[in-house]
């Protein structure tokens, strides 16, 4: 039997918020949780909330991350702490932490996987991992690849990059009551029942393909040998849009970059800031040599993308009853949609029909597994359905 409980708090005082979360979770779940997953706004006292929640609930394991907008089936806002508690004799959990991501991802992936229990439980047919990572460390795709390699590709992976409301100043993850920068945390989920994962985005290319001729980490410097800014300014002028160099975010919310991955698929990368030399800072690396296009998407397409992600996840349940939905979507999507972002949440809830729902906006989304467009993305909707 598996029990789920979701709680949220908008209390400003961290200790009170943690106690309120813990009290609600205990009342709903009726015992000590096996694991708590928590998302906490960067404007909250994250340490106080984690400590108070641990004292109140005493979960076997706890993990989470800083977020860029938080939601449950009852509420959508900024400045919240929201948590999911799980107690089960059918789902089995372990948590791994990888540190010093900026020094390399192979060792971090190995350390994370060393905490996993799947070699001891061969009867657990379905292997899934929730991965949360400090996006400012970079290399999220390398970390996903490392974890996949360490587990011989037997895990489906989902999750996101920790957020700070698009400030890109500090994006930590949580392991127990500790807060870590330059780190990633992963929750191993072993189950005899299927876990459904789906992802989709509603963007399409609107320019001819271009070659990334120079890039450095998160900085996109030139396209087809020209400053990246020149290319975007020409596109803005041709389409009657305004690219204000002092405040480029409104333009970038509706015009992102897509890396051509073949077969008509694109990995999205969101530009964030313009530099004096005509380069951009992007939310995720754009590698030199990549073929890219400027992408566009209407708001209705974002809702449709969330619906398609939910449908994909639901199909993977193979008629097993959904018990809880985890949903991750990009902070860029929330900012461009404003109040209409609730339509995405309603679309997912309508498709899945499960009673529980929890998630957050992230600075990038993780998805890897059979039938998935694997890797690290921006502006994607990622849905995970856990079995009842």
């Amino acid at each position: 039997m598996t029990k789920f409980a979701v709680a949220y708090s908008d209390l400003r005082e961290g200790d009170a918020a943690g106690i309120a979360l813990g009290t609600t979770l205990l009342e709903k779940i009726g015992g000590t949780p096996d694991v708590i997953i928590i998302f906490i706004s960067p404007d909250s006292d994250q340490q106080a909330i984690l400590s108070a929640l641990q004292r109140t609930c005493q979960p076997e394991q706890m993990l989470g991350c800083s977020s860029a907008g938080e939601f449950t089936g009852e509420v959508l806002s900024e400045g919240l702490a929201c948590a999911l508690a799980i107690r089960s004799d059918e789902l089995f959990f372990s948590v791994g932490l990888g540190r010093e991501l900026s020094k390399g991802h192979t060792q971090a992936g190995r350390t994370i996987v060393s905490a996993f229990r799947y070699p001891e439980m061969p009867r657990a047919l379905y292997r899934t991992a929730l991965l949360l990572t400090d996006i400012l460390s970079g290399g999220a795709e390398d970390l996903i690849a490392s974890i996949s390699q360490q587990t011989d590709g037997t895990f489906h992976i989902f999750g996101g990059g920790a957020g700070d409301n698009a400030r890109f100043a500090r994006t930590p993850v949580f392991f127990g009551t500790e807060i870590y920068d330059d780190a990633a945390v992963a929750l191993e989920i072993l189950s005899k029942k299927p876990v459904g994962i789906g992802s989709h985005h509603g963007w399409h290319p609107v320019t001819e393909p271009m070659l990334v001729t120079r890039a450095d980490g998160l900085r996109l410097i030139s396209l087809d040998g020209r400053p990246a800014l020149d290319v975007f300014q020409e596109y803005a002028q041709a389409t009657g849009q305004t690219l204000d160099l002092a405040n480029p975010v409104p333009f970038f919310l509706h015009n992102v970059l897509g890396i051509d991955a073949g077969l008509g698929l694109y990995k999205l990368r969101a530009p964030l800031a313009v530099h004096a030399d005509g380069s951009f800072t992007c939310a995720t690396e754009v590698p030199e040599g990549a073929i890219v296009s400027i992408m566009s998407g209407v708001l209705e397409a974002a809702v449709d993308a969330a619906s398609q992600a939910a449908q994909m996840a639901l199909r993977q349940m193979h008629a097993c009853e959904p018990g809880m939905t985890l949903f991750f979507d990009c902070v860029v999507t929330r900012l461009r949609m404003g109040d209409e972002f609730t339509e995405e949440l309603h679309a997912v809830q309508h498709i899945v029909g499960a009673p529980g729902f929890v998630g957050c906006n992230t600075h990038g989304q993780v998805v890897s597994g059979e039938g998935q467009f694997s890797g690290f993305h921006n502006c994607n909707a990622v849905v995970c359905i856990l079995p009842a």
Side-chain angles (χ1 to χ4, degrees), residues 261-343:
L263 301 176
L265 300 175
Y266 291 84
K267 288 187 177 181
L268 302 183
R269 297 295 184 254
L272 300 169
V274 179
H275 302 288
D277 63 356
S279 66
F280 296 151
T281 293
C282 296
T284 308
E285 295 95 337
V286 181
E288 285 187 2
I291 302 299
V292 299
S293 296
I294 296 176
M295 312 286 287
S296 181
V298 297
L299 298 185
E300 292 80 3
V303 177
D304 182 62
S307 295
Q308 291 194 47
Q311 291 168 5
M312 183 183 299
L314 194 60
R315 285 195 296 270
Q316 294 176 13
M317 297 299 292
H318 303 303
C320 285
E321 182 182 355
M324 175 59 59
T325 303
L326 283 157
F327 181 46
F328 299 94
D329 206 339
C330 194
V331 63
V332 170
T333 303
R334 177 176 67 80
L335 291 174
R336 66 191 282 258
M337 294 189 73
D339 292 341
E340 294 182 44
F341 182 69
T342 57
E343 295 185 19

Side-chain angles (χ1 to χ4, degrees), residues 2 88 90-93 121-128 188-195 317 320 386-388:
T2 300
S88 178
E90 297 178 320
L91 300 175
F92 304 93
F93 307 99
M121 304 183 67
R123 293 184 179 180
L125 301 179
Y126 297 93
R127 302 173 179 179
T128 308
E188 177 191 38
I189 307 169
L190 302 177
S191 174
K192 294 180 182 179
K193 297 179 180 179
V195 175
M317 297 299 292
C320 285
L386 299 176

Side-chain angles (χ1 to χ4, degrees), residues 58-323:
Q58 299 185 354
E60 295 291 332
Q61 301 176 89
M62 185 163 66
L63 76 158
C65 68
S66 181
S67 45
E70 304 77 37
F71 42 82
T72 72
E74 302 176 64
V75 65
L76 162 66
S77 188
E78 295 178 50
L80 301 180
C82 59
L84 166 64
I86 309 173
R87 188 173 179 227
S88 178
D89 57 11
E90 297 178 320
L91 300 175
F92 304 93
F93 307 99
S94 62
V95 181
L97 174 73
R99 304 186 65 183
E100 297 184 329
L101 297 181
S102 57
K103 294 184 179 180
H105 297 81
T106 300
Q107 182 57 45
R110 185 177 294 119
T111 303
I112 287 172
V113 172
S114 68
F116 287 3
R117 299 170 54 196
Y118 71 94
E120 309 165 16
M121 304 183 67
R123 293 184 179 180
L125 301 179
Y126 297 93
R127 302 173 179 179
T128 308
L130 164 62
L131 177 63
L132 304 170
T133 183
D134 179 355
I135 187 59
L136 296 182
S137 298
E141 291 210 315
D142 292 335
L143 178 61
I144 297 167
S146 175
I147 294 172
S148 294
Q149 290 166 3
Q150 300 295 331
T151 57
D152 297 321
T154 61
F155 272 73
H156 289 187
I157 306 172
F158 74 102
D164 65 352
N165 292 329
R167 299 168 193 153
F168 290 87
R170 188 187 183 207
T171 54
V173 298
F174 314 139
F175 179 63
T177 60
E178 300 299 317
I179 299 175
Y180 292 96
D181 298 296
D182 197 20
V185 64
L187 174 67
E188 177 191 38
I189 307 169
L190 302 177
S191 174
K192 294 180 182 179
K193 297 179 180 179
V195 175
I197 297 174
S199 69
H200 201 72
H201 70 72
W203 297 72
H204 61 276
V206 290
T207 66
E208 293 298 316
M210 296 171 284
L211 178 68
V212 178
T213 45
R214 191 176 172 201
D216 182 13
L218 298 179
R219 288 184 67 206
L220 173 64
I221 300 171
S222 66
L223 298 168
D224 285 345
R226 304 171 57 205
L229 176 59
D230 289 357
V231 174
F232 273 78
Q233 283 182 316
E234 284 187 7
Y235 174 73
Q237 184 175 10
T239 55
Q241 300 181 75
T242 299
L243 173 51
D244 182 355
L245 300 187
N247 182 27
V249 172
F251 175 82
F252 290 147
L253 291 178
H254 300 278
N255 302 274
V256 303
L257 206 63
I259 300 174
D260 190 344
L263 301 176
L265 300 175
Y266 291 84
K267 288 187 177 181
L268 302 183
R269 297 295 184 254
L272 300 169
V274 179
H275 302 288
D277 63 356
S279 66
F280 296 151
T281 293
C282 296
T284 308
E285 295 95 337
V286 181
E288 285 187 2
I291 302 299
V292 299
S293 296
I294 296 176
M295 312 286 287
S296 181
V298 297
L299 298 185
E300 292 80 3
V303 177
D304 182 62
S307 295
Q308 291 194 47
Q311 291 168 5
M312 183 183 299
L314 194 60
R315 285 195 296 270
Q316 294 176 13
M317 297 299 292
H318 303 303
C320 285
E321 182 182 355

